[in-house]
Amino acid sequence: MLVSEKTIERLCLYRRFLRELRVQRTTYAYSHQLAKMAGLTAAQVRRDIMAIGYYGSPVRGYEVEKLLESISDFLDGPDSLGVALIGVGNLGRSILAYLNRRNSRLNVTAAFDTNPEKIHRVIVSCHCFPLEDYPRVVREKNIHSTIIAVPADQAQPVADLIVKSGVKGILNFAPVHLSVPEEVFVENIDMAIALEKVTYFAQQDNKARAER
Amino acid sequence: MLVSEKTIERLCLYRRFLRELRVQRTTYAYSHQLAKMAGLTAAQVRRDIMAIGYYGSPVRGYEVEKLLESISDFLDGPDSLGVALIGVGNLGRSILAYLNRRNSRLNVTAAFDTNPEKIHRVIVSCHCFPLEDYPRVVREKNIHSTIIAVPADQAQPVADLIVKSGVKGILNFAPVHLSVPEEVFVENIDMAIALEKVTYFAQQDNKARAER
DNA sequence: CGGTGTGAATTAATTCACAGCA
DNA sequence: TGCTGTGAATTAATTCACACCG
């Protein structure tokens, strides 16, 4: 089943909303309600849901619990997934705090740094290992994805280490393009570029539509 | 001149590379070199550069200094631009540190929080004001864009305040969709979703191409 | 009715491929 | 020859619009 990157992203969003709805004891939701929450069109939502082969009822819409389960079955693999973080500076620590505080099953379970002062300390309930232990810990903790939060000039060697260790997903906060083999998925979060973009569009009084 | 969001993003990237090239005293660059640095095709780079009306030489490629100037003229407005940050928690502070440490002319010049312990302290060389001063400081410091780094449940009211104060660009780190009038540009950085996406594609051994 | 599912149409983004030039 | 600039083709993403259904 081939689903586009954009659709995957939106499915993750819908899942978040569905969890909220479940908490509020809402049992059914229409595509236009989900669309409203996500800032999308109803047709888009229906298309995305179609992509995972779930079917709603034309009269009541989508059953929250069931749709949630379908999306999760689709997104989550069978095995539980470990996430590592490399680079325990300011940014790394706050990413760690941010992600591990959420209820998600995606928790960062191992951190790595080269700074001897950080090694073997526990940071936001996550043990910090020396970087050279990465390949071993990847095996032991079943790490599938790794977050890069090191300075720009160290990002490529770190990425090489990640790839060599067999990890296939990278979330990269360093402002550089990483060269990796094509079976490795890289998502870049470049805060400086994002801010420049916002500033550009803030100046244009704004015909260019966008926002997601 | 109407330029797509994606193109703007890439222009910001090229600018970064051009600055690096300038530091290394490189005077000319070919589209395929820029493409390599950005992980794109050469045709894409040429299209983007076309969009801003700059012309390279078919024999030497693009003149680094000149192209840099053209891109900057295009991206940066005439007036210098202030950026504010709302929410001086862990995440906010590390965003601040990250952005203000770069040489960019886009510096965060004012921070805001409601926590009395943070107010009127200086955080990463940036004064922290009480949130209610936001409209005033926006005027005084010529703020055009604002970064939201508050908890999810406070993001919408904060966005409303931003909009009411006449600011037209928002960089939103809170995991919620913001409702704003359509002349206001919102860029979302949702770290939790980004990680879920990476994890999804890390599992698929990976036919779905992507990465930017 | 007011929903869903979806083929068809549209619009956006990217890539191809080649003329033209020094 | 090896680049740029760009029309044309292609591919991807989104939206339209309507059949169908309880």
Side-chain angles (χ1 to χ4, degrees):
Chain A
M1 213 188 280
L2 24 50
V3 176
S4 82
E5 200 178 325
K6 297 259 190 85
T7 294
I8 295 299
E9 213 167 300
R10 288 187 300 254
L11 287 169
C12 295
L13 264 184
Y14 306 151
R15 175 158 66 167
R16 176 187 287 163
F17 299 135
L18 290 166
R19 286 189 180 128
E20 283 171 25
L21 290 172
R22 183 172 59 177
V23 167
Q24 308 163 197
R25 298 272 185 275
T26 307
T27 50
Y28 283 88
Y30 294 118
S31 59
H32 66 258
Q33 297 178 290
L34 291 171
K36 182 96 176 288
M37 292 192 258
L40 302 166
T41 65
Q44 179 86 84
V45 172
R46 295 203 299 273
R47 272 259 182 265
D48 291 333
I49 289 174
M50 230 178 69
I52 63 166
Y54 180 83
Y55 290 87
S57 135
V59 57
R60 296 155 156 271
Y62 301 100
E63 199 172 337
V64 170
E65 193 63 50
K66 292 277 180 56
L67 177 54
L68 187 49
E69 192 183 317
S70 288
I71 294 180
S72 288
D73 284 353
F74 181 84
L75 292 175
D76 305 337
D79 42 339
S80 88
L81 357 70
V83 178
L85 167 75
I86 301 183
V88 188
N90 278 322
L91 183 61
R93 277 198 305 275
S94 66
I95 292 167
L96 195 51
Y98 181 88
L99 292 174
N100 279 8
R101 157 185 327 136
R102 329 198 95 241
N103 53 352
S104 155
R105 61 184 209 119
L106 244 46
N107 283 332
V108 179
T109 53
F112 298 86
D113 207 299
T114 50
N115 181 338
E117 285 180 29
K118 286 171 188 155
I119 287 168
H120 294 309
R121 296 174 91 175
V122 173
I123 313 198
V124 200
S125 70
C126 180
H127 187 97
C128 183
F129 298 91
L131 187 55
E132 61 264 32
D133 289 359
Y134 180 79
R136 178 178 58 78
V137 177
V138 160
R139 270 177 272 120
E140 290 177 6
K141 298 209 169 194
N142 196 32
I143 301 291
H144 279 70
S145 317
T146 295
I147 301 166
I148 297 182
V150 301
D153 59 345
Q154 292 164 42
Q156 185 60 55
V158 162
D160 294 342
L161 175 65
I162 292 170
V163 170
K164 209 181 321 167
S165 306
V167 169
K168 295 279 189 286
I170 296 178
L171 178 54
N172 174 40
F173 283 85
V176 288
H177 170 75
L178 301 176
S179 309
V180 299
E182 76 165 326
E183 76 274 11
V184 176
F185 180 87
V186 177
E187 171 81 1
N188 295 293
I189 291 185
D190 193 321
M191 303 191 310
I193 298 277
L195 182 59
E196 289 182 22
K197 191 172 147 189
V198 167
T199 301
Y200 173 81
F201 285 107
Q203 292 174 304
Q204 313 313 97
D205 228 44
N206 217 334
K207 32 220 60 169
R209 279 274 22 80
E211 170 171 341
R212 177 148 296 246
Chain B
M1 213 188 283
L2 22 51
V3 176
S4 81
E5 200 179 325
K6 298 260 191 85
T7 294
I8 295 299
E9 211 168 301
R10 287 187 300 256
L11 286 168
C12 294
L13 264 184
Y14 305 152
R15 176 159 67 165
R16 176 187 287 164
F17 298 135
L18 290 165
R19 287 190 180 128
E20 283 171 25
L21 290 172
R22 183 172 59 176
V23 167
Q24 308 162 200
R25 297 271 183 279
T26 307
T27 51
Y28 284 88
Y30 295 118
S31 59
H32 67 259
Q33 296 177 291
L34 291 171
K36 181 96 176 286
M37 292 193 259
L40 301 166
T41 65
Q44 179 87 83
V45 172
R46 295 202 299 273
R47 272 260 183 264
D48 291 333
I49 289 174
M50 230 179 70
I52 62 168
Y54 179 83
Y55 290 86
S57 134
V59 57
R60 294 156 157 271
Y62 301 100
E63 199 172 337
V64 170
E65 193 63 51
K66 292 276 179 58
L67 176 55
L68 187 48
E69 193 183 316
S70 288
I71 293 180
S72 288
D73 285 351
F74 181 84
L75 292 176
D76 305 336
D79 42 339
S80 89
L81 356 71
V83 178
L85 167 75
I86 300 183
V88 188
N90 278 322
L91 183 61
R93 277 198 306 275
S94 65
I95 293 167
L96 195 51
Y98 181 88
L99 292 173
N100 279 7
R101 156 183 330 134
R102 330 198 94 240
N103 52 351
S104 157
R105 62 185 208 118
L106 243 45
N107 282 334
V108 179
T109 53
F112 299 86
D113 208 299
T114 50
N115 182 338
E117 287 181 27
K118 286 170 186 155
I119 288 168
H120 294 309
R121 296 174 89 177
V122 172
I123 312 199
V124 199
S125 70
C126 180
H127 188 96
C128 182
F129 297 91
L131 186 56
E132 60 265 30
D133 289 359
Y134 180 79
R136 178 178 58 78
V137 178
V138 160
R139 270 176 272 122
E140 291 177 5
K141 297 208 171 194
N142 196 34
I143 302 291
H144 279 70
S145 318
T146 295
I147 302 166
I148 296 182
V150 301
D153 59 343
Q154 293 165 41
Q156 184 61 56
V158 162
D160 295 341
L161 175 65
I162 292 169
V163 169
K164 210 183 321 169
S165 307
V167 169
K168 296 278 189 285
I170 296 178
L171 179 54
N172 174 40
F173 282 85
V176 288
H177 170 75
L178 301 176
S179 310
V180 299
E182 75 164 329
E183 75 273 13
V184 176
F185 181 87
V186 178
E187 171 82 0
N188 295 293
I189 292 186
D190 192 320
M191 302 192 308
I193 298 278
L195 181 59
E196 290 183 22
K197 190 172 147 190
V198 168
T199 301
Y200 173 81
F201 284 107
Q203 292 175 304
Q204 311 313 96
D205 226 44
N206 218 334
K207 31 220 59 169
R209 278 279 16 83
E211 167 171 342
R212 173 147 297 244

